Amino acid sequence: MKILLAGGAGYIGSHTAVALLEAGHQVVVLDNYDNSSPEAIHRVEELTGKKVSLYEGDATDHKRVLDLMQREQPDCVIHFAGLKAVGESIEQPLRYYRNNIDTTLTLLESMAETGCKKIVFSSSATVYGAENAAPCHELMPKGSCTNPYGWTKSMMEQILQDAAVADKDLSVVLLRYFNPIGAHESGRIGENPRGIPNNLMPYVTQVAVGKREKLTVFGGDYDTPDGTCLRDYIHVMDLAEGHVKAVEFGANHTGVDIINLGTGQPYSVLDIVHTFQEVNGIKVNYEIGPRRSGDLPVVYADASKAQKVLGWQAKRTLADMCRDSWNWQKNNPDGYE
């Protein structure tokens, strides 16, 4: 199949491009490089020995998206496009609502105009909110999000579900990610955040490589085994392979399916720090700080539906995630620059 990756030059998109190409699919990427780099796609081509059709442009630009879809005629769209920094979304809510919802509307409108009936959406476990106790499963009602970024994911899910009600031929697969970390084992592509990282692992690796002085762990007094928050960390290449399975599932599917992509195994913040230090033989300076507003003590997936419906399960270990993250960072201290 030919797959359009909107926002495909980003962290998860670039790893998914590798997995799709290795599975024999064709890949088209549209990206505005707001939080990504064309170099990531050049390295995807280098890793796979296959060509990607790469277009610079914004997924909110209807003419650009429509022209691209008319030219390429993709069989399926994977929607990665969007702004994703939680803190920034609180400071700039209107920008987040405008951008993220517009990308979804523009992609759906362009799909309708070109007859493309398959879409896989990059959603998030944040839509479960604080109301649902872990493990989170797909039959739970959505909860209240704690920030505008989370609300955009919740709203985009609703838009996609409503579109599928109106068009009975539409296939929508909503993939709810838990906490992607790691990098391609080659060390050639990985997570490359702009500015101060919002997520734990790139902060750990930047401390390890000397870019940052220390890691502040937000809260050491939660009701968890070591007092730090528990999360479901998943290797980005396992996540990428989940997208391949979702695309192939969607080929003979109509309606909406919601599927968690996680391991089902929670690890604490200190588990990450200690495992990283152990497998890489490097010290990470850290201190325990006050709790961060909006953080839940425990969040992890019930990942059984993915195994049942997609025939997919995560297979890489926490040690793999820590090793591959460091392999990327030490070989690319300044990312793709």
Side-chain angles (χ1 to χ4, degrees):
M1 289 188 283
K2 182 185 282 190
I3 322 298
L4 169 61
L5 277 55
Y11 174 43
I12 298 167
S14 57
H15 289 79
T16 300
V18 170
L20 285 164
L21 290 165
E22 288 179 341
H25 299 289
Q26 294 174 267
V27 171
V28 180
V29 168
L30 173 69
D31 206 295
N32 66 359
Y33 309 131
D34 181 76
N35 191 34
S36 60
S37 169
E39 176 62 22
I41 298 302
H42 301 326
R43 294 189 188 187
V44 166
E45 292 177 323
E46 167 202 304
L47 288 169
T48 60
K50 297 180 179 178
K51 185 76 180 146
V52 174
S53 297
L54 178 59
Y55 294 83
E56 183 173 357
D58 200 299
T60 63
D61 182 340
H62 184 264
K63 184 177 186 305
R64 181 63 170 152
V65 175
L66 184 59
D67 287 350
L68 166 56
M69 292 194 67
Q70 287 173 334
R71 175 186 292 197
E72 293 288 350
Q73 294 291 313
D75 301 297
C76 177
V77 172
I78 305 182
H79 180 6
F80 295 113
L83 302 170
K84 63 174 188 175
V86 169
E88 186 180 70
S89 79
I90 294 168
E91 296 163 3
Q92 302 176 34
L94 300 186
R95 178 172 171 239
Y96 269 67
Y97 286 117
R98 169 67 72 189
N99 181 84
N100 290 6
I101 291 168
D102 268 7
T103 61
T104 307
L105 296 173
T106 301
L107 288 167
L108 283 169
E109 288 165 350
S110 300
M111 287 171 62
E113 290 174 72
T114 55
C116 180
K117 298 293 186 182
K118 312 293 181 188
I119 185 166
V120 174
F121 176 55
S122 166
S123 193
S124 167
T126 192
V127 304
Y128 288 112
E131 296 88 340
N132 292 305
C136 300
H137 62 78
E138 295 88 348
L139 294 177
M140 287 174 166
K142 287 194 292 187
S144 300
C145 299
T146 57
N147 54 75
Y149 161 76
W151 279 117
T152 66
K153 290 294 188 184
S154 186
M155 291 173 183
M156 289 188 279
E157 281 197 5
Q158 189 62 53
I159 291 166
L160 287 154
Q161 288 171 307
D162 291 342
V165 170
D167 183 351
K168 302 301 183 192
D169 294 326
L170 196 62
S171 167
V172 174
V173 182
L174 305 176
L175 296 179
R176 291 179 178 168
Y177 308 164
F178 280 71
N179 291 69
I181 61 175
H184 191 270
E185 63 182 7
S186 66
R188 294 293 289 153
I189 58 172
E191 190 167 9
N192 184 38
R194 297 247 166 101
I196 299 170
N198 289 285
N199 299 325
L200 174 61
M201 185 58 86
Y203 212 107
V204 168
T205 62
Q206 289 192 12
V207 171
V209 85
K211 288 186 75 171
R212 306 205 176 272
E213 182 188 354
K214 65 187 174 190
L215 167 73
T216 299
V217 177
F218 297 117
D221 58 352
Y222 287 99
D223 185 17
T224 60
D226 65 16
T228 65
C229 291
L230 292 170
R231 293 291 182 269
D232 190 334
Y233 295 97
I234 176 173
H235 196 295
V236 68
M237 285 308 300
D238 279 332
L239 192 73
E241 289 160 9
H243 286 76
V244 177
K245 295 289 191 182
V247 164
E248 292 169 352
F249 166 73
N252 299 300
H253 167 265
T254 56
V256 179
D257 255 288
I258 300 168
I259 301 174
N260 289 337
L261 292 183
T263 66
Q265 170 63 58
Y267 290 102
S268 74
V269 176
L270 291 182
D271 286 333
I272 294 283
V273 173
H274 296 151
T275 304
F276 185 91
Q277 293 184 137
E278 186 180 328
V279 301
N280 296 312
I282 191 164
K283 180 92 171 69
V284 176
N285 292 322
Y286 72 91
E287 65 178 11
I288 305 293
R291 293 186 181 191
R292 181 172 58 180
S293 176
D295 277 349
L296 300 175
V298 182
V299 181
Y300 66 98
D302 177 333
S304 57
K305 182 176 179 180
Q307 187 170 2
K308 181 180 174 184
V309 173
L310 301 181
W312 171 92
Q313 64 180 21
K315 56 181 185 277
R316 293 167 178 86
T317 66
L318 185 61
D320 295 330
M321 300 178 211
C322 292
R323 187 182 300 109
D324 291 340
S325 294
W326 178 234
N327 188 37
W328 153 255
Q329 183 74 76
K330 72 181 179 183
N331 288 305
N332 303 273
D334 297 313
Y336 294 111
E337 300 307 316

